[in-house]
Amino acid sequence: MKYGLICYNRLNNIGNEIQSIAARRFLPQIDYYLDFNDLTNFDSADEEFKVITNAWYLQDKKSWPPKDKYINPLLVSMHLNLDNKNTIESFLSDESREFLTKYGPVGARDTSTCDWLNKHDIPSYFSGCLTLTLQGEDAPKEDYILLVDVPKELIPFIKSKTDKKIYNITHLTPIDLDKRRNLPRDYLEYRIYNSQEKFYLAENYLKLYEKASCVITNRLHVALPCLAFKTPVMVISDIIYENSRFSGFEEMLRFSTVEEYKNNYNMFDVNNPPENSKNYLKYRKDLIEKCQKFTGHINPTYYSFKYNDNELLKKNVLMLNQLNIKGLETNNKVFKLERENEKLKNQNKKQKQANKKLKKQNKKQKQANKKLKKQNNKKDKKLKEIKYSNSWKMTKPLRKFKKLIK
């Protein structure tokens, strides 16, 4: 039997690689890497191969459904972006229904996905996320705090509450802006890290989450690995992207807005953080059993290489993160300027169209005025002709008499 693993050549959120690292734990080897954005065109296999399809679906129609005749998938921990019409069209297509029915029922990562699939007569159950199965060393925690993609106003607040070292990091990898300007729709050309480099980076992120004394984030694939590692975690819900992704995890995770947290800091004291809920353990157990049964294999940890010097590793990863953050800050400034420029262009375009319309209306009005003036001139001429005519002069006494009668 051969085995495949989903990779992400065209996306820059490390959370995607973290999902695949969770799946990788159950593979005895990797014979094929399946590009998430091009699953429908994968046809490299020459014999049956197994793949765990845990992922966030999808951005374009080439992502679903897989069509390789040798594929044997485990449909588990799948999330559907139901705000995207491509997702809906792809998953409700005849090919997709046939695929999902053949290999189902579908293990949905969240209850929103589960409800939607069942509503459309595609059997589904809530499986939870495969990142709940991640296994580390169960080593002692270290004395640092991680803030991952939190609102900026939270950082000074946390710093005012503790003497612990605080690291502010991001799950997004930077891109090459110069290349992006020339190739705006081809991420392969302007990415900085390739797929395998992102796997390495993601594994190091996981090591940081595993060792942290506590973590505060708005990222699902930071929070759920922290549950697996027994690292105290809180989710800041102010800026969560696509809230439906968290449906089903309400009883597993601790949620708070920035304002709520500032008003009730004791809910998550970073110096003495509370333990996580254990409600995730049932889903972790079921997922491990299901995946191990599917592949017949399980690795003791998620590690793919040895960590000889944790401190050096941590420094290297944190340095990369700082580069990422600085790169992203620059990127975001450029993106903002580009959006503003695009908005200005659209406004100018609309103004030009409005001016053109107004000019056209003015032209029509001038033509109408000219026509009216011509008509008035004709009337004036006619009145003059009547006024100076013999008949007008002869009927003058009659008109006077009529006035007297009135």
Side-chain angles (χ1 to χ4, degrees):
M1 178 65 69
K2 291 188 176 182
Y3 299 88
L5 184 68
I6 294 175
C7 67
Y8 298 85
N9 288 319
R10 294 171 172 82
L11 300 177
N12 71 328
N13 184 340
I14 289 295
N16 295 308
E17 279 71 26
I18 287 175
Q19 290 182 91
S20 286
I21 287 172
R24 188 181 68 188
R25 186 185 173 206
F26 298 96
L27 305 182
Q29 79 269 350
I30 300 170
D31 300 292
Y32 307 111
Y33 282 97
L34 288 75
D35 183 359
F36 168 78
N37 287 87
D38 205 22
L39 285 177
T40 59
N41 291 324
F42 177 84
D43 62 352
S44 301
D46 51 12
E47 63 180 83
E48 183 185 356
F49 71 98
K50 291 186 173 183
V51 61
I52 300 173
T53 61
N54 62 314
W56 171 92
Y57 295 91
L58 51 85
Q59 287 191 311
D60 58 60
K61 293 182 180 181
K62 290 189 293 182
S63 297
W64 192 265
K67 295 179 181 177
D68 192 287
K69 65 181 179 180
Y70 293 111
I71 193 169
N72 181 358
L74 176 61
L75 306 180
V76 72
S77 300
M78 295 173 63
H79 166 73
L80 307 189
N81 177 13
L82 300 175
D83 293 328
N84 187 312
K85 71 172 185 176
N86 285 338
T87 306
I88 293 171
E89 289 175 6
S90 295
F91 273 81
L92 292 183
S93 69
D94 291 340
E95 283 180 308
S96 174
R97 283 181 176 277
E98 184 181 347
F99 185 88
L100 294 170
T101 302
K102 180 179 179 180
Y103 296 106
V106 179
R109 197 178 77 187
D110 51 274
T111 54
S112 293
T113 296
C114 180
D115 292 344
W116 185 86
L117 288 169
N118 283 319
K119 179 183 173 183
H120 290 89
D121 300 319
I122 299 169
S124 178
Y125 65 97
F126 173 53
S127 67
C129 182
L130 204 59
T131 57
L132 292 171
T133 68
L134 288 164
Q135 182 63 46
E137 294 178 319
D138 287 329
K141 302 296 183 185
E142 296 182 18
D143 206 29
Y144 64 87
I145 298 164
L146 285 178
L147 305 180
V148 189
D149 290 315
V150 299
K152 287 183 179 179
E153 63 266 30
L154 188 62
I155 300 169
F157 175 74
I158 298 297
K159 285 182 177 178
S160 71
K161 297 292 184 180
T162 184
D163 293 326
K164 290 184 179 182
K165 185 68 179 175
I166 297 171
Y167 298 114
N168 175 34
I169 64 176
T170 178
H171 251 214
L172 299 176
T173 59
I175 59 176
D176 187 322
L177 284 175
D178 288 331
K179 288 183 178 179
R180 183 183 180 275
R181 288 190 187 97
N182 297 323
L183 300 154
R185 296 191 179 278
D186 194 346
Y187 177 73
L188 283 176
E189 294 298 327
Y190 59 74
R191 67 183 181 176
I192 289 178
Y193 302 132
N194 64 34
S195 175
Q196 292 307 310
E197 288 168 337
K198 286 189 293 175
F199 271 117
Y200 177 82
L201 194 59
E203 192 168 331
N204 285 298
Y205 275 49
L206 289 172
K207 191 70 176 178
L208 287 174
Y209 304 152
E210 183 185 347
K211 296 290 186 180
S213 64
C214 68
V215 175
I216 300 176
T217 185
N218 75 331
R219 297 279 180 186
L220 183 68
H221 292 116
V222 177
L224 298 183
C226 284
L227 291 183
F229 298 144
K230 301 173 186 175
T231 300
V233 63
M234 182 171 71
V235 177
I236 295 297
S237 56
D238 296 66
I239 50 173
I240 286 176
Y241 170 70
E242 201 189 337
N243 284 305
S244 62
R245 293 164 61 248
F246 284 83
S247 62
F249 298 106
E250 295 88 350
E251 300 301 318
M252 303 183 208
L253 293 168
R254 183 180 290 104
F255 292 88
S256 175
T257 64
V258 172
E259 194 61 32
E260 287 169 347
Y261 186 35
K262 284 183 176 180
N263 291 332
N264 184 17
Y265 169 71
N266 289 330
M267 70 189 296
F268 195 78
D269 181 349
V270 294
N271 297 299
N272 186 26
E275 287 186 1
N276 297 324
S277 165
K278 292 182 171 57
N279 290 333
Y280 73 95
L281 288 172
K282 174 186 180 300
Y283 298 98
R284 173 185 168 92
K285 179 176 178 290
D286 290 347
L287 281 166
I288 289 173
E289 287 177 357
K290 187 175 287 289
C291 292
Q292 190 172 3
K293 183 180 178 182
F294 178 66
T295 63
H297 181 83
I298 187 170
N299 293 310
T301 70
Y302 64 87
Y303 310 150
S304 66
F305 58 91
K306 290 184 178 179
Y307 293 86
N308 295 320
D309 189 336
N310 285 337
E311 200 57 37
L312 178 62
L313 178 67
K314 189 199 307 178
K315 285 179 180 176
N316 286 340
V317 174
L318 291 167
M319 181 186 70
L320 282 172
N321 265 285
Q322 292 309 309
L323 288 173
N324 284 357
I325 287 172
K326 288 183 185 301
L328 283 164
E329 284 175 354
T330 303
N331 290 357
N332 288 334
K333 285 177 184 175
V334 173
F335 295 156
K336 186 179 178 182
L337 287 171
E338 285 179 349
R339 285 194 298 271
E340 287 174 354
N341 189 43
E342 192 65 30
K343 189 177 177 181
L344 195 59
K345 278 183 180 177
N346 288 334
Q347 287 174 345
N348 288 339
K349 187 178 178 182
K350 285 181 180 178
Q351 191 60 52
K352 281 182 180 178
Q353 288 172 341
N355 290 343
K356 190 176 179 181
K357 189 177 179 182
L358 191 61
K359 192 176 178 182
K360 197 173 180 180
Q361 288 173 344
N362 287 340
K363 188 178 178 181
K364 283 184 179 179
Q365 190 60 50
K366 281 182 179 179
Q367 288 173 341
N369 290 342
K370 191 176 179 181
K371 188 177 179 181
L372 189 61
K373 189 177 179 181
K374 195 173 180 180
Q375 288 171 347
N376 289 337
N377 287 339
K378 280 184 179 180
K379 286 178 181 178
D380 288 343
K381 189 178 178 183
K382 188 120 178 156
L383 286 170
K384 281 180 182 179
E385 286 175 358
I386 292 170
K387 190 175 180 180
Y388 295 109
S389 67
N390 289 330
S391 59
W392 184 262
K393 290 175 184 178
M394 290 173 67
T395 56
K396 186 175 181 182
L398 184 60
R399 289 197 300 275
K400 280 186 178 182
F401 179 70
K402 280 186 177 180
K403 281 183 183 179
L404 287 171
I405 294 171
K406 286 181 181 179

